[in-house]
Amino acid sequence: MSETAKLILEGQEHEVPVVTGTENEKAIDITKLRAQTGYITLDVGYKNTGATTSSITYLDGENGILQYRGYPIEQLADRSSFIEVAYLLIHGELPTQTQLDQFSNTIKMHTLVHEDMKKFFDGYPSKSHPMGQLASMVTALSAYYPESLNPNRPEEDVDLTIVRLLAKMPTLVSWIYKKSVGHPVIYPTNNLDYVSNFMKMTFGHRTEEYSVDPVVVDAMNKLLILHADHEQNCSASTVRIVGSSQANLFASISAGISALWGPLHGGANQAVIEMLENIKQDGGNIQKWMDKAKDKNDPFRLMGFGHRVYKNFAPRAKIIKKSADDVLSKLGVNDPVLDIAKEIERIALEDQYFVDRKLYPNVDFYSGIIYRALGFPTDMFTVLFALGRLPGWISQWKEMREEGQPIGRPRQIFTGETKRDYVSIEQR
Ligand code: SDX
């Protein structure tokens, strides 16, 4: 006997089904609520609303659990590679060696970006924000692959579009960086692994041999794995809703990049470093900034703190915090803002305001410190988040398309003026 919930509306009792997930999460299924009762639900910001069922990523915010396709993030961060995690998210299972080699080699055959796309880069001011460039470059890819425009085309077209996105995103991100420093672009080296190739395209020079540091590659793999998916976050929900109109995958991913740009979402990793730098410039008076963060009349928020789902120490933040110490000591980097970050965390974890609101460091609080130690400028941090999140967005889009989900179109409750007649301008 399946579980149900009872609603009593205007004296009438209605029964609605209850959905239970594999991790025993419960939801009231309101799919037929309006037809049954004439009522809709209201949940601004979707804090209590499930948009879909999904088998990709599981989060438990109370217990600090994050799993991709059932595998704990701690194990994947320690033992897997980003390209293997991309395969897992998109195809649902860990690949065999043959499958992984085939996936990786197919991607290597598509790493070049059409030379004509360089003209788009030429049109951008050199200091324009990398996220704006990346969003438009990903949409521009659809111009070169007209077969990608109809997502209902045969399987192989969608799979090829997925490969092209995974293959070309590192090239695009590295070219955006090269443009920002006025250096010539470096073309892909296809005998390198995914992350090594990206690091060489970004920090290599045409005239000198670039030797990839295994410490850097390991740190980058870990960061990309930790960012790879996070269920129905703002940008993944954007990718799903854009894709639900049957817009092509390039357009859906470009929309996700734009949603990630916001400082409340992926843009937080840039905002955290800017905040830490401000505190350092301001003489390191941490308590002053903590008080500002708690002041309702002050728009300042403690960037990198708080999360819609995690109400406990976020698993990714724990891993990144440890990695920050490892990477900086291995690279011999001493970054004073790391000490400020740790002191902020220590104070916040004892401060009633943050404790009452269950505000803990999130994935963005420490990631920027590592990106900076690896040589990336601050305004590149969010495109690095997008590079990591790409396989997650693709897997969410693919799941939504394969399930034939309907176009996303929420309802509303109207609270404006009721019907009134037009009045000529002379009478106003
Ligand atoms: C990411 O969703 C995901 O999964 C996202 C992400 C992913 O992998 O995709 O995890 C990546 O986006 C991480 C979050 C990065 N953003 C930031 O670090 C920006 C700072 N954080 C906040 O703006 C905020 O915590 C959010 C946006 C992350 C969550 O906001 P919610 O869930 O809408 O919570 P809220 O704003 O309603 O806050 C609840 C209370 C409020 O106080 P009261 O009104 O109850 O008195 O907590 C306060 C807020 O004022 N609060 C903060 C705070 N975050 C929340 N106060 C000070 N500093 C903060 N950072």
Side-chain angles (χ1 to χ4, degrees):
M1 173 72 173
S2 57
E3 210 178 330
T4 61
K6 284 192 175 56
L7 272 176
I8 298 173
L9 298 169
E10 295 165 28
Q12 201 176 348
E13 187 174 292
H14 303 270
E15 209 162 3
V16 287
V18 167
V19 172
T20 305
T22 51
E23 292 282 357
N24 212 26
E25 295 167 302
K26 303 271 184 188
I28 298 167
D29 181 345
I30 57 168
T31 309
K32 298 188 172 58
L33 180 71
R34 191 167 184 279
Q36 260 181 280
T37 69
Y39 281 57
I40 63 167
T41 57
L42 187 60
D43 183 19
V44 176
Y46 310 114
K47 294 192 176 188
N48 306 282
T49 296
T52 185
T53 57
S54 178
S55 59
I56 300 168
T57 293
Y58 172 64
L59 296 192
D60 176 338
E62 280 63 38
N63 297 303
I65 294 171
L66 170 56
Q67 293 168 182
Y68 295 159
R69 301 285 190 183
Y71 295 98
I73 191 65
E74 295 80 0
Q75 294 179 26
L76 293 171
D78 260 353
R79 300 170 58 189
S80 186
S81 68
F82 176 61
I83 204 70
E84 182 177 74
V85 165
Y87 184 99
L88 170 66
L89 287 168
I90 293 167
H91 296 292
E93 296 295 338
L94 285 172
T96 61
Q97 189 62 58
T98 307
Q99 289 168 328
L100 183 61
D101 293 345
Q102 190 185 8
F103 184 63
S104 183
N105 293 333
T106 307
I107 286 168
K108 286 178 178 181
M109 292 304 112
H110 294 273
T111 50
L112 274 178
V113 167
H114 197 291
E115 280 293 302
D116 287 355
M117 283 190 70
K118 281 187 177 170
K119 296 188 184 79
F120 299 145
F121 282 99
D122 295 343
Y124 266 98
S126 62
K127 292 301 174 205
S128 54
H129 200 286
M131 284 296 273
Q133 293 184 57
L134 184 62
S136 54
M137 293 303 162
V138 169
T139 298
L141 285 173
S142 62
Y144 295 86
Y145 307 107
E147 71 280 8
S148 71
L149 295 182
N150 176 355
N152 299 311
R153 286 183 57 119
E155 196 68 18
E156 64 274 10
D157 277 336
V158 171
D159 286 348
L160 181 53
T161 300
I162 289 172
V163 164
R164 281 173 171 147
L165 270 165
L166 291 168
K168 298 178 194 305
M169 186 81 115
T171 308
L172 290 171
V173 170
S174 68
W175 285 14
I176 288 168
Y177 170 71
K178 284 300 192 194
K179 175 187 176 60
S180 75
V181 293
H183 291 177
V185 299
I186 301 287
Y187 287 90
T189 307
N190 288 332
N191 60 9
L192 292 175
D193 64 76
Y194 194 86
V195 170
S196 300
N197 178 41
F198 169 63
M199 296 308 280
K200 181 178 178 194
M201 289 193 289
T202 305
F203 295 116
H205 291 277
R206 279 191 183 161
T207 53
E208 299 151 29
E209 213 25 59
Y210 176 78
S211 61
V212 186
D213 181 339
V215 171
V216 167
V217 173
D218 178 59
M220 205 59 212
N221 256 303
K222 192 166 286 190
L223 281 166
L224 294 172
I225 289 169
L226 291 169
H227 286 84
D229 191 56
H230 216 238
E231 53 127 286
Q232 306 311 313
N233 57 84
C234 176
S235 54
S237 301
T238 302
V239 169
R240 277 182 172 256
I241 203 158
V242 170
S244 74
S245 75
Q246 297 192 6
N248 64 77
L249 181 54
F250 292 118
S252 304
I253 297 299
S254 176
I257 293 169
S258 297
L260 188 72
W261 195 354
L264 294 189
H265 191 12
N269 57 16
Q270 173 175 345
V272 166
I273 290 294
E274 289 165 350
M275 171 186 76
L276 295 173
E277 283 291 0
N278 286 340
I279 293 173
K280 190 178 79 167
Q281 301 302 331
D282 186 46
N285 180 350
I286 293 174
Q287 195 52 54
K288 167 186 162 191
W289 291 87
M290 300 297 278
D291 293 342
K292 282 169 66 70
K294 299 187 287 187
D295 179 355
K296 286 289 161 242
N297 301 316
D298 190 320
F300 174 75
R301 282 284 170 276
L302 198 60
M303 300 315 281
F305 257 76
H307 197 276
R308 174 62 57 78
V309 175
Y310 289 125
K311 299 308 172 191
N312 195 325
F313 210 100
R316 297 176 300 177
K318 264 187 202 162
I319 297 168
I320 289 185
K321 179 183 176 184
K322 182 180 175 306
S323 181
D325 278 327
D326 292 349
V327 171
L328 268 65
S329 61
K330 282 177 186 167
L331 293 177
V333 170
N334 173 31
D335 189 344
V337 298
L338 178 58
D339 299 332
I340 295 176
K342 287 181 176 176
E343 183 59 8
I344 287 173
E345 179 190 349
R346 187 191 64 77
I347 296 171
L349 295 181
E350 294 166 1
D351 183 299
Q352 214 49 49
Y353 172 94
F354 292 91
V355 172
D356 291 349
R357 291 166 180 79
K358 299 183 176 163
L359 302 176
Y360 293 91
N362 58 49
V363 67
D364 296 303
F365 191 61
Y366 286 104
S367 56
I369 291 167
I370 303 178
Y371 288 140
R372 187 151 87 157
L374 298 182
F376 293 102
T378 305
D379 67 359
M380 285 291 291
F381 291 0
T382 313
V383 289
L384 296 173
F385 191 146
L387 187 61
R389 184 53 53 89
L390 179 61
W393 285 332
I394 290 170
S395 61
Q396 297 285 345
W397 181 91
K398 188 166 178 280
E399 182 176 74
M400 178 273 303
R401 297 284 310 129
E402 287 171 350
E403 289 178 0
Q405 292 192 4
I407 186 169
R409 200 271 185 224
R411 306 301 295 256
Q412 64 163 28
I413 294 295
F414 181 73
T415 53
E417 293 285 344
T418 54
K419 183 175 176 297
R420 53 184 172 165
D421 294 328
Y422 182 80
V423 176
S424 64
I425 196 160
E426 294 75 22
Q427 293 170 321
R428 285 175 212 159

